[in-house]
Amino acid sequence: MPSNDELTDLISRQLGVCMKNRMPRVKEILKAYGMELLPFSAPDMLPGAVVERNFWQWEKKEQHLLDFFPAAIPLLHQQLMHMPKVYAVIPDFEFVLDEVKDLHFDIPSLFHFKWSGELQHLTALTIQVKGVKRIRLTDFEQPGADIALLLSTLEEERPQWYREKIKYSYLTQTLFYAEEIVLHWRMQKGARIEWRFHEDELHILEERNGPTERYLHCRVSDENRSPFAAILKQGKDFFSKKHG
């Protein structure tokens, strides 16, 4: 697997943007890899979840691709739950203050961190995302191969129903996870800013607190990690024919 520096150089050349002495920004990562930030997340979220656009962001519907194949749910659900997370070929990257402001200081899919207080007095903020992992459904390995066969059969046997329910619906094909994050922020002296998180299995690797500066480096185990981003595909394009 390429090194982090090599991956950063690759995305720099792909986007035609100089990244010397800095990490890629989240917007650059999303553009380069066709990813969408998730405004919702949970450790039990699986690829194949149905989502829909609500104004500027995606919302998760209480529906999964497997719901269209009730007889296959028990076996395929277990297989989806046990899909291994593997390292994605994506460099470490960061959110900067303006990007976090655009998200209203709320990034629920990154360890459920939230800020409150006198946020206007923040003078600098970075959130570094390290060790990106993924799970992905493909039609050349299980359980994706079985799901692809079920979709093909459904399209042939019930074409109108397939068009109405699946063909143009958006589904999570690939889910991305952060192995570690590093938060570093500065604020004006005397500012009252608080942060909190809801992950039960959060492991603090390093923490430093000062009157105007704070630093936190943490990680969550694989089984308790929530996806922060996804690649979304319409049902008709869910399984690529390029097997690479």
Side-chain angles (χ1 to χ4, degrees):
M1 180 174 172
S3 68
N4 194 69
D5 286 343
E6 289 171 333
L7 291 173
T8 300
D9 182 61
L10 182 64
I11 189 176
S12 174
R13 287 186 281 110
Q14 179 183 342
L15 297 178
V17 176
C18 179
M19 298 182 186
K20 187 176 181 180
N21 299 322
R22 74 167 176 88
M23 299 175 74
R25 306 284 193 256
V26 62
K27 291 180 180 179
E28 294 165 338
I29 291 291
L30 298 179
K31 180 179 180 180
Y33 296 97
M35 299 158 59
E36 299 274 356
L37 278 182
L38 293 172
F40 51 83
S41 193
D44 61 354
M45 188 175 179
L46 298 172
V50 181
V51 298
E52 63 182 359
R53 177 74 77 173
N54 181 14
F55 294 102
W56 63 276
Q57 69 178 15
W58 293 96
E59 289 188 352
K60 181 175 178 288
K61 298 179 68 176
E62 295 304 317
Q63 195 171 40
H64 190 277
L65 187 59
L66 295 189
D67 295 336
F68 303 122
F69 314 107
I73 286 177
L75 174 61
L76 292 178
H77 186 264
Q78 284 297 315
Q79 291 180 330
L80 283 171
M81 286 179 61
H82 292 94
M83 289 180 70
K85 297 180 181 72
V86 300
Y87 283 107
V89 188
I90 293 176
D92 298 343
F93 64 93
E94 67 181 359
F95 295 75
V96 294
L97 180 57
D98 285 345
E99 291 169 330
V100 180
K101 282 182 178 179
D102 289 343
L103 296 167
H104 308 288
F105 293 92
D106 185 6
I107 313 175
S109 50
L110 272 181
F111 299 3
H112 296 279
F113 275 98
K114 288 191 176 184
W115 286 266
S116 61
E118 301 169 331
L119 300 176
Q120 71 274 19
H121 296 315
L122 277 169
T123 58
L125 168 65
T126 59
I127 305 173
Q128 296 180 355
V129 177
K130 295 176 173 287
V132 179
K133 289 187 172 184
R134 63 155 175 84
I135 54 176
R136 179 179 64 182
L137 275 177
T138 68
D139 59 353
F140 57 92
E141 57 188 358
Q142 297 295 4
D146 284 344
I147 295 174
L149 181 59
L150 288 169
L151 281 173
S152 179
T153 302
L154 185 65
E155 184 178 10
E156 291 176 4
E157 296 181 353
R158 301 180 63 188
Q160 183 175 348
W161 193 91
Y162 171 83
R163 285 195 299 271
E164 292 176 356
K165 301 293 185 179
I166 298 177
K167 187 173 183 178
Y168 299 108
S169 294
Y170 279 91
L171 308 139
T172 54
Q173 181 211 50
T174 308
L175 296 175
F176 296 92
Y177 302 79
E179 190 170 48
E180 299 179 5
I181 62 172
V182 177
L183 295 95
H184 186 196
W185 69 97
R186 297 186 182 91
M187 54 194 172
Q188 295 176 12
K189 190 173 182 180
R192 298 181 62 182
I193 296 174
E194 298 179 354
W195 59 270
R196 58 189 174 90
F197 53 85
H198 299 294
E199 295 287 0
D200 294 332
E201 299 297 325
L202 191 76
H203 303 291
I204 306 297
L205 303 178
E206 185 180 358
E207 185 174 11
R208 300 193 301 268
N209 292 319
T212 60
E213 186 170 2
R214 295 184 182 178
Y215 176 95
L216 179 68
H217 183 184
C218 54
R219 69 181 296 158
V220 168
S221 59
D222 262 1
E223 61 271 19
N224 292 291
R225 199 171 293 151
S226 300
F228 71 87
I231 291 177
L232 307 177
K233 296 283 187 179
Q234 285 185 303
K236 63 185 179 68
D237 302 318
F238 194 71
F239 290 108
S240 170
K241 301 304 180 186
K242 297 179 181 179
H243 295 171

